[in-house]
Amino acid sequence: MNAQQPLPLIGVTMGDGAGIGPEVIVPAVLDAATLSRCRPVVIGDAARLREAARILGTGCEIVAVPTPAAAETAPGRINVVDLGLLPADLPWGTLSAAAGNAAYEYVRRAAELALAGEIDGICTAPLNKEALHAAGHVYPGHTELLAHFTGVEEVSMMLSTEKVKVIHVTTHIGLIDAVNRIEPGLVERTVRRGHEALVRAGVMAPVIGVCGINPHAGENGLFGYGEEEEKIVPALETVRRDGIDARGPLPADTAFFLAARGDYDLIVAMYHDQGHGPVKVLGIEAGVNLTVGLPVIRTSVDHGTAFDIAGTGKAEAGSMIEALRQAAEMSTAR
């Protein structure tokens, strides 16, 4: 990046204020490496961030700003678009409809800012789905919320660690529903979104491994009812004709091992746990969640609200720092 080009402005949503979001945001946005890559602006609650800083024993200045453009980046300073939605006595580690509603509003505001070009990307701290639902916002999570706010009908979830990246054909639905939903068009679109995301991130000729649905990818019809041939193979044939190096269907029990040793740049998982389980074993501490297919850049930590340790100062900020790094990298590339 040349000296004249400003660092990207990244909106950091605070997530559920009763969880560890505020405690991972404070050290992450103060981190020197973060400030060398982007200009972070928190969209959340200034008072809650001050409380998190107190718990962490972190000396910093937390400044409410009216717009991201008004933020001044400096060591020891945290800029906040302060929505002021949380009650002052909100307990840590407790399910709260007020915190669920606030988390919803932080994401809504961030989407507005991104679509208006006031921020270059979004990085989200974790929200709690039960709290979100208790507030009357019935969405499975961030991915679906952002798709709603940006007017996009279909997006994909990608998890990224140092060793492996995985994109999901289906996510927050039951296993039987997932198998029923998988069809060649959805598989094809998922592969294309994953390929585009990797190219945008600088991998010019990604090698993509595509998992099967059944054990051993069906083993030539031995397991299942021909789902691989019916639902996956036609999609792979289509994308290959367009020059995308997509290989499979692969047995999921070996695909992630091969990706971790470098055989694949991206694994396509058919359903939630097929992708999440291996990724969390390989690198949850620095894992990042990306929403692929939005008109805005969005990354997130790959962990939850951790109510059991919220408010104790024990939360690790590594995943948030990595999520900010990838948000800045993808925003710059754009």
Side-chain angles (χ1 to χ4, degrees), residues 47-74:
R48 196 62 166 181
L49 290 172
R50 293 188 184 103
E51 177 65 10
R54 184 193 65 77
I55 290 169
L56 294 167
T58 301
C60 60
E61 182 185 17
I62 296 174
V63 182
V65 295
T67 64
E72 298 178 12
T73 304

Side-chain angles (χ1 to χ4, degrees), residues 17 23 63 80 95-96 113-114 124 148 155 183 193 212 240 273 306 315 323:
E23 292 168 88
V63 182
V80 189
L95 188 75
S96 163
L113 292 169
T124 61
H148 168 70
V155 295
E183 50 86 20
R193 280 192 286 267
R240 286 173 190 148
D273 285 12

Side-chain angles (χ1 to χ4, degrees), residues 10 19 36 43 48 68 106 110 126 140 164 192 195 204 228 242 283 296 327:
I10 304 298
S36 72
I43 300 159
R48 196 62 166 181
Y106 304 152
V164 66
R192 290 187 188 277
H195 179 269
M204 299 316 297
E228 281 74 19
D242 290 338
V296 300

